[in-house]
Amino acid sequence: MTDDGEYYGSPESVAAMKRSAALWSLVRDDPRFAFYGRLVGLSQPVENTAEVIGALARLQGGSPCYFFPKNEVPALFAELDRNGLSTDRHEHFFGDETAYTAAKGVLSDYSLPSDLSVQRLDDATPGRFVADAVALMESCGVMPVPAAYLRGRQGRGLCLVATDGDDKPVAVATSIFMHPAGGPHAKTVFWGMLATRPDRRGQKIALILGAQAIVHMWEQEGARGFMTGVRQDNVSSAALCNRLGVTDTEWTYAVCVDPQTLGRKSVTK
């Protein structure tokens, strides 16, 4: 794990997120774009989706288009391939009041193990603790976002960390606003980055933390939609999402990757 001014991840990931932050400072008022600290992408398809995410990928290393119809993915990816770019995808899982209701049910039915407590990362959280939480994410294959977003300083959101008696992270859940104000998805938030330490799996800790994040964002921040990307073969993640009313849809995260800029062919690996 690289810690570069509280950017975390591989050198390639840190460089991409820094390029993305610079780009976001220029386009943040353009209603087409979405961002939660990782890569600037399209909030939803536009007339020239391939052209736009191709240009964004060449600048950043990669760029997603959210809410992209699954049945249109082959044509989009073929066009990006013809333009010399690579592609990637996550299935677009989504929940609205179904997620809030399911999360409330989970919190009614289950409690965290008695030896655990929950912290919300903020500006007062020591950098070492943030780094430990990020290390847990990365050990579970989760690509983190910059600490400014995990701390809630940027992006308007939260990162919850369950800790044991030694104050060591056991599990993590995150949710962040990402779509432009005034747009059709303004109240839809990214939700996820769920991770659990291997020795504590099977205790429903990530399920409970994920539920806590949903309830907080609904009740305290006004979120009305929860979205996350799940690999087609990630059965365990899909099952956890389903338990919380965040389910597969007719959309996908359609991702364009420029390997020459990014340094690899997949954004999250």
Side-chain angles (χ1 to χ4, degrees):
M1 179 187 70
T2 298
D3 176 355
D4 185 353
E6 290 206 310
Y7 282 83
Y8 299 97
S10 68
E12 294 86 359
S13 294
V14 169
M17 285 187 282
K18 287 185 172 182
R19 291 191 295 267
S20 300
L23 177 61
W24 184 239
S25 70
L26 300 176
V27 304
R28 63 187 309 140
D29 294 325
D30 189 318
R32 294 176 296 173
F33 300 121
F35 187 59
Y36 62 97
R38 192 174 284 167
L39 291 168
V40 177
L42 283 172
S43 179
Q44 62 184 7
V46 294
E47 183 177 353
N48 55 340
T49 295
E51 180 182 347
V52 175
I53 62 173
L56 292 173
R58 288 190 168 99
L59 287 170
Q60 302 175 101
S63 181
C65 177
Y66 304 108
F67 291 95
F68 195 86
K70 286 181 179 178
N71 62 353
E72 297 180 20
V73 168
L76 174 69
F77 282 6
E79 183 174 354
L80 293 171
D81 182 67
R82 288 194 298 271
N83 292 335
L85 296 161
S86 297
T87 57
D88 196 8
R89 68 183 284 174
H90 287 75
E91 304 319 302
H92 188 132
F93 280 50
F94 181 85
D96 44 28
E97 191 168 2
T98 59
Y100 175 63
T101 301
K104 291 279 284 184
V106 164
L107 297 183
S108 175
D109 292 342
Y110 302 109
S111 300
L112 287 172
S114 60
D115 67 317
L116 300 184
S117 59
V118 178
Q119 299 184 37
R120 178 180 177 180
L121 301 187
D122 59 23
D123 279 337
T125 306
R128 181 66 257 170
F129 184 83
V130 177
D132 286 345
V134 168
L136 173 58
M137 293 183 200
E138 292 190 300
S139 73
C140 297
V142 174
M143 180 181 174
V145 296
Y149 288 82
L150 298 175
R151 293 178 184 274
R153 187 188 315 139
Q154 296 183 33
R156 195 166 139 234
L158 83 168
C159 179
L160 300 178
V161 183
T163 60
D164 60 19
D166 296 322
D167 202 33
K168 297 297 183 183
V170 168
V172 180
T174 303
S175 188
I176 304 169
F177 278 87
M178 58 182 291
H179 294 284
H185 309 300
K187 293 185 178 181
T188 293
V189 296
F190 165 81
W191 167 84
M193 295 187 209
L194 305 179
T196 306
R197 210 168 66 195
D199 64 304
R200 300 302 298 262
R201 290 174 186 168
Q203 300 176 356
K204 296 183 171 59
I205 301 169
L207 179 72
I208 294 168
L209 272 194
Q212 289 180 351
I214 288 173
V215 170
H216 174 91
M217 294 298 282
W218 182 280
E219 294 183 348
Q220 305 299 320
E221 304 294 345
R224 291 298 179 265
F226 302 87
M227 56 182 278
T228 197
V230 179
R231 292 282 186 189
Q232 286 181 315
D233 60 353
N234 195 336
V235 177
S236 61
S237 289
L240 189 152
C241 290
N242 289 336
R243 288 286 303 277
L244 288 169
V246 181
T247 59
D248 201 3
T249 66
E250 72 271 24
W251 309 305
T252 189
Y253 289 15
V255 184
C256 178
V257 181
D258 180 8
Q260 185 172 354
T261 302
L262 186 62
R264 58 177 186 255
K265 291 187 176 182
S266 172
V267 169
T268 58
K269 298 292 183 184

